[in-house]
Amino acid sequence: MALFALDSSYSVNRLLAHPDPVLKLQIKTLGSGDARLLLEYQAARQSRWYFEVWALAQIVLGGVFFFFMLFATGEGKIPLLLALLLLAEVLGQQVLLVPGLLSLGRLAGEGPVFSGEAARALADGGYWAVEILKLATALALVFRLIRQRHAPSG
């Protein structure tokens, strides 16, 4: 998800560097600086929407996966704990980290200069750390499930 947000900020630069003829007239009317601010604002709003939708999707998918593992499979305690840990990581990220990122993004969109760059870097770092933690947990779960399937019975 963070890659989509990063791309939307780069897309403003790409769009302004090579605008189509109709957009070129609009940019000339607005002025280059105001056009950039408008496009950056729209890109930030779109990124926030992506984050919010992806957050909901992760929570729903994580919940469905955990309850599937709990009720529809005969998996042992460790895979169930890993699935629950993955769901807890998603919930923690979406409840504790993403709202802070979104509010920092809103602050950045309200003015031409964002003064909390250190806070933003810390929040971004936290987001990436949780993403890596979720990936590691998911890989551990997959490894455990594969290993259980190929273990000799008996």
Side-chain angles (χ1 to χ4, degrees):
M1 187 66 350
L3 296 176
F4 284 114
L6 186 62
D7 182 62
S8 66
S9 70
Y10 288 133
S11 68
V12 171
N13 292 332
R14 285 192 305 262
L15 189 60
L16 289 173
H18 305 291
D20 67 36
V22 174
L23 181 60
K24 199 174 221 175
L25 289 173
Q26 295 298 322
I27 290 171
K28 191 179 277 189
T29 303
L30 275 174
S32 180
D34 287 341
R36 175 174 293 284
L37 284 175
L38 179 64
L39 291 171
E40 286 173 351
Y41 177 77
Q42 176 57 31
R45 285 184 54 98
Q46 186 174 13
S47 293
R48 282 194 299 271
W49 184 80
Y50 286 152
F51 271 101
E52 290 167 356
V53 169
W54 181 234
L56 182 60
Q58 283 187 59
I59 291 168
V60 168
L61 290 172
V64 166
F65 181 68
F66 172 72
F67 285 109
F68 170 77
M69 294 272 300
L70 183 62
F71 295 117
T73 68
E75 298 300 332
K77 291 179 185 174
I78 292 178
L80 286 174
L81 286 174
L82 287 171
L84 184 60
L85 177 63
L86 193 55
L87 180 59
E89 291 165 357
V90 167
L91 285 170
Q93 182 182 34
Q94 304 312 329
V95 170
L96 301 174
L97 196 57
V98 169
L101 274 173
L102 294 176
S103 67
L104 286 173
R106 285 186 188 101
L107 288 174
E110 291 175 2
V113 177
F114 178 60
S115 61
E117 289 299 325
R120 177 66 182 209
L122 181 63
D124 284 344
Y127 182 85
W128 281 106
V130 175
E131 286 296 309
I132 291 168
L133 182 63
K134 289 189 312 189
L135 179 63
T137 304
L139 289 174
L141 177 59
V142 167
F143 177 74
R144 179 69 184 200
L145 291 173
I146 290 172
R147 201 173 96 195
Q148 269 184 272
R149 296 283 180 250
H150 291 28
S153 311

